[in-house]
Amino acid sequence: MPEGHSVRRLARQFDDVFGGETLAVSSPQGRFAAGAALLDGHTMIESQAHGKHLFLHFDHALVLHVHLGLYGAWDFGGDAAFRGASSIGAPRKVGERETFDDGTAAAYAGPPAPVGAVRVRLVGRHGWADLRGATTCAAITGAEASAVLARLGPDPLRNLPPDRERFVTGVRSRKTPIAALLMDQKVIAGVGNVYRAEVLFRQRIAPLLPGSSLPRDAAELLWDDTAAVMGDGVRDGRIITTPASYWGEGAALPAGDEARYVYKRQGLPCRVCAVPVGLAELGGRKLYWCPGCQQ
């Protein structure tokens, strides 16, 4: 499932390539036909990300609300002008992972015929975006979008002044294991399985520790570190939680396995203490941790 940094990059991309444009909105698959008709021919004025939720705001006060879920992804295509000016560059697919174009652009003659179950297609002057497989795809009102946001916890990538304290209070008021709390989008929005495993290791926090047992200063540092590594993810377009000292000599970025401390490294020696990385199931999701470092 895409984590919060990918959705934030996605929002930037939509602002860059569709912001201020009147869009043709359709549902080639047909499942979103009624919603597409409400948005078709209107101007997208703003894209907003909060946690794993994306909100595309249109000029007639309706909003396209998308949550990619486990299998959703956006595909993009267009001409040389269809390239984001922000750090996202020009992704051709954003889902669990991002793929990028090769820096060249063929003459644009409009979007291609839809391939597969395209829930919604957005088409502007210079390019198109197709959504497949999303858990949520709905045309909603601004009030309904506000209600969705009200149910979510603070987003570390927004990191507004009250957010840190709200997270700390939310965590320390519950006896639920901290590893489960980090996956609860009402407690903190945008963290998924990779960031959960990695920030708990970086802070040397035992994953089954009850939230109420986490000292205040440790909860504050956990928030700060999560905000920092997720911000790095927005910049880099991938999750990197290890420092350069763990990468190949002279590497500007890590190879796949070098980018993380514990996630999907079960049975391998911990990079710090050499104890084998553990694997368990918690709340139906795989949990990775180091039994030596995280006691």
Side-chain angles (χ1 to χ4, degrees), residues 3 5 9 12-13 17 21 24 29 47-48 50 61 76 106 108-109 125 132 160 165 199 211 216 218 230 235 269 278:
E3 304 201 23
H5 72 294
R9 286 168 60 83
R12 290 185 179 183
Q13 176 74 359
V17 300
E21 283 210 26
Q29 178 195 51
S47 179
Q48 177 187 15
H50 190 101
F76 296 88
Y108 179 59
R125 291 175 299 159
R132 297 178 182 84
L160 300 175
E165 182 58 31
V199 295
R216 166 169 284 275
M230 291 185 72
R235 179 196 64 210

Side-chain angles (χ1 to χ4, degrees), residues 25-37 64 71-73 112-122 129-138:
V25 184
S26 63
S27 179
Q29 178 195 51
R31 287 182 58 188
F32 185 62
L64 176 59
Y71 306 110
V115 176
V118 177
R119 183 84 54 86
V120 63
R121 167 171 280 188
L122 307 178
D130 284 350
L131 174 67
R132 297 178 182 84
T135 296
T136 300
C137 176

Side-chain angles (χ1 to χ4, degrees), residues 225 257 281 289:
D225 195 39
D257 180 63
E281 187 173 296
W289 85 105

Side-chain angles (χ1 to χ4, degrees), residues 257-292:
D257 180 63
E258 297 172 341
R260 297 160 188 168
Y261 283 106
V262 293
Y263 182 74
K264 287 192 173 180
R265 297 194 70 249
Q266 67 272 21
L268 296 175
C270 170
R271 299 188 190 280
V272 175
C273 73
V275 169
V277 172
L279 171 64
E281 187 173 296
L282 180 67
R285 300 296 300 274
K286 291 180 178 179
L287 172 66
Y288 305 85
W289 85 105
C290 172

Side-chain angles (χ1 to χ4, degrees), residues 32 64 72 108 134 164 167-168 197 209 220-221 275:
F32 185 62
L64 176 59
Y108 179 59
R164 188 182 196 234
F167 168 75
V168 171
L209 180 76
E220 291 173 343
L221 288 172
V275 169

Side-chain angles (χ1 to χ4, degrees), residues 232-255:
D232 292 343
V234 174
R235 179 196 64 210
D236 298 330
R238 56 184 291 209
I239 299 177
I240 300 172
T241 60
T242 55
S245 57
Y246 288 92
W247 310 345
E249 186 175 355
L253 289 172

Side-chain angles (χ1 to χ4, degrees), residues 130-161:
D130 284 350
L131 174 67
R132 297 178 182 84
T135 296
T136 300
C137 176
I140 62 176
T141 66
E144 289 170 325
S146 295
V148 174
L149 290 168
R151 295 193 293 268
L152 296 172
D155 183 342
L157 290 172
R158 298 186 71 196
N159 208 3
L160 300 175

